[in-house]
Amino acid sequence: EIVLTQSPATLSLSPGERATLSCRASQSVGTYLAWYQQKPGQTPRLLIYDASNRATGVPARFSGSGSGTDFTLTISSLEPEDFAVYYCQQRSHWPPVLTFGGGTKVETK
Amino acid sequence: QLQLQESGSGPVKPSQTLSLTCSVSGEFISSGGYSWNWIRQAPDKGLEWIGYIYHSGSTLYNPSLKSRVTMSVDRSKNQFSLKLTSVTAADTADYYCARGITVTMSYAMDVWGQGTTVTVSS
């Protein structure tokens, strides 16, 4: 089973700052990786699929990069609505089992 | 516009079976290119993928839950369902259904239901 480790667990930043979130896989997942945002009391929202593709309607300040075992979600300049928990999710090559990382909370400094 | 809505059996006692249904509107489950997923989130915890089903009825489950999970699809009602047997307090969680896009390599889930809370308690 592929394990996803997200770091840091909590990121304390101010609006306007750059956020860099990491997701590391225990073995290569190619670019089979997605990122989600979840605000308190809300449903997760897809941000990035296949490591670097923004989902429909996602602002350009969100970008994803990486391949293999190391992935990054970058928020170029934090808006007040971006303070939330972010999860990465991978799909194994075969069988195509899915797993989530433990999440990174982006909180206001 | 695609919408998913979970409904379920309400509170469940330990050792009983949890049953949930996801009703899909705005698109036919029989449309190709999608997986129909169940995900759960225990209180103040992260997301856990439970499994998915294709419109054909083929399934894939989380290995850690596989022995207790059964998913099914009812194309006539445009619904898919989850059964989880032998529940314990550890199965208390918000349960979400979501559509996965299988033409993406990551099987990313782009539309989610609002979630339903299931409490396991005697």
Side-chain angles (χ1 to χ4, degrees), chain A residues 36 38 43 50 89 91 96, chain B residues 41 49 52 105-106 109 112:
Chain A
Y36 301 83
Q38 188 179 30
T43 295
D50 298 351
Q89 168 251 310
R91 174 216 143 192
Chain B
Q41 186 170 35
W49 176 73
Y52 58 67
M105 291 184 287
S106 48
M109 292 170 276
W112 295 60

Side-chain angles (χ1 to χ4, degrees), chain B residues 63-96:
Chain B
S64 68
L65 297 169
K66 184 178 180 179
S67 63
R68 298 194 291 132
V69 171
T70 303
M71 294 183 185
S72 59
V73 63
D74 186 334
R75 286 178 291 279
S76 67
K77 293 183 178 178
N78 221 34
Q79 295 175 337
F80 62 105
S81 298
L82 167 70
K83 289 189 186 300
L84 182 67
T85 63
S86 304
V87 299
T88 69
D91 295 309
T92 293
D94 290 332
Y95 284 75
Y96 298 96

Side-chain angles (χ1 to χ4, degrees), chain A residues 40-60:
Chain A
Q42 295 190 19
T43 295
R45 171 196 180 195
L46 176 65
L47 297 176
I48 302 288
Y49 65 92
D50 298 351
S52 60
N53 297 284
R54 270 190 303 276
T56 303
V58 175

Side-chain angles (χ1 to χ4, degrees), chain A residues 1 31-34 36 38 42-46 48-51 87 89-91 95-102, chain B residues 37 39 41 45-49 52 54 60-63 96 103-110 112-115:
Chain A
E1 177 187 344
T31 56
Y32 295 11
L33 192 105
Y36 301 83
Q38 188 179 30
Q42 295 190 19
T43 295
R45 171 196 180 195
L46 176 65
I48 302 288
Y49 65 92
D50 298 351
Y87 295 95
Q89 168 251 310
Q90 68 83 31
R91 174 216 143 192
V97 170
L98 309 184
T99 55
F100 287 95
Chain B
N37 294 261
I39 304 97
Q41 186 170 35
K45 299 294 184 183
L47 301 169
E48 180 180 30
W49 176 73
Y52 58 67
Y54 296 112
L60 189 64
Y61 303 142
N62 184 327
Y96 298 96
V103 294
T104 66
M105 291 184 287
S106 48
Y107 283 22
M109 292 170 276
D110 67 332
W112 295 60
Q114 285 303 302

Side-chain angles (χ1 to χ4, degrees), chain B residues 1-6 21-29 36 77-80 97-99 110-115:
Chain B
Q1 182 182 354
L2 176 66
Q3 290 187 315
L4 282 67
Q5 179 66 58
E6 304 89 349
T21 295
C22 183
S23 298
V24 179
S25 59
E27 182 155 319
F28 292 114
I29 278 186
W36 302 94
K77 293 183 178 178
N78 221 34
Q79 295 175 337
F80 62 105
C97 56
R99 182 182 77 169
D110 67 332
V111 180
W112 295 60
Q114 285 303 302

